[in-house]
Amino acid sequence: MSVAWIRPSPRRLTAAVAAVVLTAAVGGCSPRPATPAQPLPPDSGYRAVLEEFSRRMLDDGAPAVLIQVRVGGDEWSAAYGVRNLDGGSRAEATDPVHVGGITKSMVAVCVLKLAEEGRIQLDTPVSAYLPDFDRVTHAPGPVTVRQLLQHRSGMPSVDGPLYDPATVQQALTTKVSLADLLAMAGRISWQAKLAQGFEYSNSNYIALALIVERLRGRPIGEVIRTDIIEPLGLTGTSMTAAGPPPSSMVHGYITLDRRQLDVTYPAAQIDNAAGGMVSSVADVNTFYRALLQDRLLKADTITQMQSPLYARYGLGVVRWNDLCTNDFYYGHPGDVPGYGTIAMTSADGTRQLTMAVAFPPEPLQSGAPRILQEMQAIAEDTLNATCQAAPSGPVQAAAGRPARHASGSVTNSVKSSVTNSAKSSATNSVTLRQESLGQ
């Protein structure tokens, strides 16, 4: 295990990350002027919960668990396990992993930058930017760019060959283009609905990436590099590309026909806008902090990204209740074969948790793994335990959870509260298909 606490220096202090628990209806905090959260000391009890979860994952056969928590100017990073199960070296907190659906947040930034430049109108039909869209997908009616960003188009989700036991081995060596993925979605019946609500679909972000590529004239991975990776100096982040994986990458595994199969860096994920990004937990935190502190997009654009207020999914970001400030955490879950990631960041960017697990080898399954649901619950309650002062008004609980004011007593009760919440997460919440059905 590798663990490190990084203490703040004056220059580093900040100003004041299937099925995950999501619902498309009202059921959480109403935003209000945020009360600054006072960070707990580094020896706070929330670390014990994360350490216990990590040890349990290793006992169940997981190759590695990587975590980074940022509270104010403090950082706690931890790595458990090994980089691969074939006698690999010890995992480090800086090692890259597949981050799945977090790719969607990055694609959304690229789309919204085009909107800021006046080259995309969010409420304009997609066919204005992709002339063949309606013909290829057999859309039952006009679909806007905003509906794609919010997963409100109703377009059937296409997951690709990496998620099918019959084709997964071929997917390790064969690239599938974005155009081919959209065509695959077009072969699934798209039924019109009188009132189309939230319906998570990888196909939405495949279409968005094709728009970006058409307008920028470059592959989506290159656009993400110039829009996000280079400006932020993200040294451990890249789109899956041809060739071998990064040498320090944590390997992921599944089982197929009772045999263990290494699914690290599959060719089918090359330039995949629904879940092809590789990153470190620190880089993911840096990305969401920069996003929420208006360093990638304008403040007005971020406000749009966080809307609509009644939904848990905005424009490429998921939100959870921040009981420290009566505001929200923003981020995204990620789930690709062999890997799961959760990233949450407070609205002001000062409290963050990103956790990645190379899953215990298991057969491919439909829907988000149980482990990812547990990771989401632990992450949310861990961040809710990283403050001492309660908001100045009543705190509304997230759907299915009792309200808890953040106070000094949280330190002593965090372990039981996080554990209980993780156990009850699946039964108390409406679930969303993740990347194997989404990310």
Side-chain angles (χ1 to χ4, degrees):
M1 180 189 75
S2 172
V3 180
W5 256 104
I6 302 176
R7 299 298 300 173
S9 68
R11 289 178 294 181
R12 293 183 64 249
L13 287 172
T14 56
V17 212
V20 329
V21 180
L22 295 175
T23 175
V26 180
C29 300
S30 299
R32 54 175 291 147
T35 301
Q38 301 301 316
L40 291 174
D43 59 353
S44 171
Y46 70 78
R47 285 171 46 188
V49 176
L50 297 172
E51 291 168 348
E52 180 183 5
F53 169 79
S54 301
R55 286 193 296 269
R56 181 157 47 83
M57 288 297 98
L58 296 187
D59 289 344
D60 289 343
V65 181
L66 311 178
I67 304 170
Q68 188 190 65
V69 180
R70 295 180 179 179
V71 182
D74 288 337
E75 295 178 5
W76 179 70
S77 298
Y80 305 82
V82 294
R83 287 175 176 161
N84 65 71
L85 296 178
D86 298 322
S89 57
R90 179 176 297 179
E92 300 292 338
T94 54
D95 292 346
V97 294
H98 283 288
V99 295
I102 290 166
T103 307
K104 292 182 172 68
S105 294
M106 296 183 177
V107 171
V109 168
C110 297
V111 172
L112 293 170
K113 287 180 77 70
L114 284 165
E116 290 185 343
E117 296 169 11
R119 301 182 66 184
I120 286 180
Q121 301 295 320
L122 297 187
D123 295 313
T124 294
V126 175
S127 56
Y129 309 108
L130 288 179
D132 291 337
F133 177 78
D134 292 341
R135 177 186 61 81
V136 171
T137 64
H138 309 289
V143 174
T144 68
V145 175
R146 188 185 303 274
Q147 287 174 313
L148 294 181
L149 286 165
Q150 294 176 333
H151 291 296
R152 290 178 175 270
S153 71
M155 183 165 34
S157 184
V158 60
D159 305 313
L162 187 59
Y163 301 88
D164 185 345
T167 58
V168 63
Q169 294 196 75
Q170 179 184 356
L172 297 178
T173 57
T174 305
K175 179 182 177 181
V176 184
S177 70
L178 295 178
D180 286 343
L181 287 170
L182 192 65
M184 290 169 63
R187 292 193 286 271
I188 305 172
S189 178
W190 185 347
Q191 300 296 326
K193 296 180 181 179
L194 292 176
Q196 177 62 54
F198 175 87
E199 190 173 339
Y200 196 93
S201 172
N202 284 336
S203 307
N204 291 320
Y205 279 75
I206 298 301
L208 287 167
L210 286 168
I211 293 174
V212 172
E213 291 189 345
R214 189 167 187 266
L215 294 179
R216 294 293 191 199
R218 293 179 289 139
I220 186 63
E222 291 187 14
V223 179
I224 291 174
R225 177 171 52 81
T226 56
D227 283 355
I228 298 169
I229 295 173
E230 290 179 348
L232 298 181
L234 305 182
T235 58
T237 301
S238 61
M239 176 65 81
T240 301
S247 59
S248 60
M249 187 165 180
V250 171
H251 285 229
Y253 302 85
I254 62 170
T255 57
L256 184 67
D257 298 327
R258 299 184 180 180
R259 293 182 295 108
Q260 187 171 283
L261 181 65
D262 190 327
V263 290
T264 309
Y265 223 59
Q269 289 289 70
I270 294 174
D271 277 332
N272 189 315
M277 293 302 294
V278 169
S279 190
S280 66
V281 290
D283 276 7
V284 171
N285 274 339
T286 297
F287 163 64
Y288 281 112
R289 173 175 286 181
L291 179 63
L292 291 165
Q293 293 182 345
D294 308 334
R295 288 190 279 131
L296 292 173
L297 297 167
K298 297 175 182 177
D300 289 347
T301 305
I302 297 300
T303 299
Q304 283 200 69
M305 202 174 193
Q306 296 169 340
S307 64
L309 293 177
Y310 58 81
R312 286 291 180 92
Y313 201 101
L315 306 185
V317 292
V318 179
R319 66 185 182 190
W320 298 264
N321 288 345
D322 181 349
L323 301 186
C324 293
T325 63
N326 205 19
D327 203 324
F328 294 102
Y329 302 114
Y330 294 92
H332 212 289
D335 168 32
V336 295
Y339 301 86
T341 306
I342 187 72
M344 295 185 193
T345 296
S346 61
D348 64 359
T350 62
R351 290 178 296 117
Q352 301 184 278
L353 186 151
T354 294
M355 175 166 47
V357 177
F359 289 144
E362 293 180 348
L364 287 172
Q365 56 184 289
S366 176
R370 167 193 55 79
I371 296 171
L372 187 62
Q373 300 176 49
E374 183 178 3
M375 290 166 64
Q376 178 269 331
I378 289 174
E380 184 177 7
D381 279 341
T382 295
L383 285 179
N384 282 335
T386 58
C387 58
Q388 292 175 319
S392 57
V395 176
Q396 295 179 332
R401 294 196 184 171
R404 287 200 314 274
H405 287 274
S407 65
S409 62
V410 170
T411 304
N412 295 327
S413 63
V414 60
K415 184 173 181 178
S416 62
S417 66
V418 172
T419 303
N420 291 338
S421 178
K423 289 179 179 178
S424 63
S425 170
T427 58
N428 287 345
S429 308
V430 177
T431 57
L432 168 70
R433 290 173 82 218
Q434 284 303 98
E435 183 179 87
S436 31
L437 299 175
Q439 300 137 8

